[in-house]
Amino acid sequence: MLTESFFPIGVFDSGYGGLTILKEIVQKLPQYDYVYLGDNARTPYGNRSFETVYHYTLEAVKWFFSQNCHLIILACNTASAKALRTIQQRDLPLLAPLKRVLGVIRPSVEAVEKFTITQNIGILGTVGTVLSNSYPLEIQKLFPHLTVTQESCPMWVPLVENNEHKNEGANYFVQKNIENLFQKNSKIDTVILGCTHYPLLVDKILKFLPQNVHLLSQGEIVAKSLEDYLFRHPEIENFCSKNQKREFFTTETVELFEKQATLFFEEKVSAKRISLGYSEVKIL
Ligand code: DGL
């Protein structure tokens, strides 16, 4: 049971990928309480429609509200691309006008310009994130002089979710997508990993990435941006409790989540299972 003094920051992903973001956030801001939810029962989100991703993400956001979260980070590029804007603009004012939901795309975009010399940026993401055009649109708004080239990598999330990312077979898919990206634009000198699962593939990505290409670490960028946000928004920061507590929830079986999440988070994780998608959310 949550106590009165537990007002955690919520961190959401379709599965395990958001743990790569949470790990960096906890490293930078260890004083706060955090609740992580992985919607493992319905992962991956990457190939799903706008409506479905929006619907699933909104259910998760409502669940975070039920856990006393005043600030929620969608640590999932797909959810940030397909659901964040509607939730911020349409749902939050009605459901919880004093609470905030933030994504991972904007902070990554804000950071990108200082790394590029050629002014050519590459985005690797899920099919959903790439089709949403969120990265090119956001980059265009802030830095209209940059050229953005995207490549969707539909096999990368399943490889990670199925713990195949360190195996030899993963090389084929990583090499293929990276080569595709650079065939489209050989001038790229800065690449954003636009999916929170991809840091788990970083060794293989670096192996196939041309030398001198800068790979942006989304976890560090999001953690820094959250630190700045909390500093600039004391009205939200006041609602984030500081007991250094972390709780983990999954919509799938606890045993599998704990095993996998411990690998992603690099710390022992114990989790509880919840169900989403019913009119009442309950802890099982
Ligand atoms: N980690 C996610 C992202 O950043 C989710 C990928 C998926 O569920 O397909 O996009």
Side-chain angles (χ1 to χ4, degrees):
M1 279 295 282
L2 298 174
T3 62
E4 284 290 332
S5 62
F6 193 58
F7 293 97
I9 296 172
V11 178
F12 174 67
D13 184 47
S14 61
Y16 304 112
L19 290 163
T20 62
I21 302 280
L22 179 62
K23 198 176 71 185
E24 300 288 343
I25 293 178
V26 165
Q27 224 164 62
K28 186 162 267 314
L29 302 164
Q31 66 273 36
Y32 294 103
D33 297 327
Y34 298 95
V35 166
Y36 183 87
L37 173 63
D39 191 5
N40 300 81
R42 304 189 291 196
T43 200
Y45 280 14
N47 301 330
R48 296 188 190 275
S49 68
F50 266 84
E51 294 70 29
T52 305
V53 173
Y54 161 69
H55 181 69
Y56 286 179
T57 308
L58 183 60
E59 280 173 358
V61 165
K62 287 181 180 167
W63 177 82
F64 280 111
F65 290 161
S66 77
Q67 303 299 295
N68 279 348
C69 297
H70 281 252
L71 178 61
I72 297 155
I73 314 293
L74 302 184
C76 174
N77 288 267
T78 311
S80 300
K82 292 184 160 185
L84 179 64
R85 189 172 296 257
T86 313
I87 290 175
Q88 282 176 334
Q89 293 179 354
R90 196 174 70 192
D91 300 301
L92 268 189
L94 298 171
L95 288 173
L98 299 179
K99 300 189 176 186
R100 292 291 174 267
V101 181
L102 306 175
V104 288
I105 293 180
R106 181 75 186 205
S108 311
V109 164
E110 281 169 359
V112 82
E113 205 221 10
K114 56 178 174 282
F115 295 101
T116 181
I117 294 166
T118 66
Q119 319 293 325
N120 283 266
I121 310 296
I123 308 292
L124 295 166
T126 65
V127 174
T129 299
V130 166
L131 284 181
S132 75
N133 257 333
S134 299
Y135 274 100
L137 290 171
E138 287 293 325
I139 291 176
Q140 192 62 30
K141 275 190 226 154
L142 295 183
F143 311 114
H145 57 287
L146 298 185
T147 301
V148 184
T149 308
Q150 305 192 89
E151 167 74 5
S152 55
C153 315
M155 289 302 292
W156 290 18
V157 170
L159 285 171
V160 171
E161 287 285 320
N162 291 293
N163 209 11
E164 289 289 337
H165 52 285
K166 292 226 189 295
N167 295 340
E168 201 58 17
N171 285 346
Y172 169 79
F173 295 102
V174 173
Q175 182 172 16
K176 183 173 129 185
N177 290 123
I178 290 179
E179 281 178 5
N180 285 349
L181 180 70
F182 283 86
Q183 256 158 32
K184 289 181 206 165
N185 181 355
S186 60
K187 291 198 220 112
I188 293 167
D189 69 349
T190 304
V191 169
I192 300 181
L193 291 186
C195 173
T196 55
H197 282 67
Y198 295 176
L200 274 286
L201 284 159
V202 76
D203 291 346
K204 293 194 188 299
I205 295 169
L206 288 172
K207 187 167 151 188
F208 296 113
L209 210 60
Q211 268 185 351
N212 303 325
V213 170
H214 196 93
L215 191 63
L216 288 200
S217 158
Q218 206 170 36
E220 277 170 40
I221 292 168
V222 171
K224 175 77 185 90
S225 151
L226 178 61
E227 185 183 43
D228 295 344
Y229 180 88
L230 291 169
F231 181 75
R232 283 185 284 110
H233 294 276
E235 76 287 3
I236 301 292
E237 204 275 342
N238 285 339
F239 276 108
C240 300
S241 55
K242 300 180 193 72
N243 309 298
Q244 304 196 8
K245 254 181 96 180
R246 285 141 220 177
E247 295 192 342
F248 296 85
F249 294 84
T250 173
T251 54
E252 248 301 339
T253 54
V254 163
E255 295 72 20
L256 182 61
F257 182 87
E258 288 180 345
K259 189 164 154 254
Q260 289 287 88
T262 303
L263 294 176
F264 279 66
F265 195 57
E266 293 172 4
E267 223 178 77
K268 190 161 169 25
V269 164
S270 53
K272 294 189 190 109
R273 185 173 183 176
I274 61 142
S275 60
L276 293 177
Y278 302 93
S279 53
E280 239 176 65
V281 172
K282 39 182 195 295
I283 295 176
L284 300 175

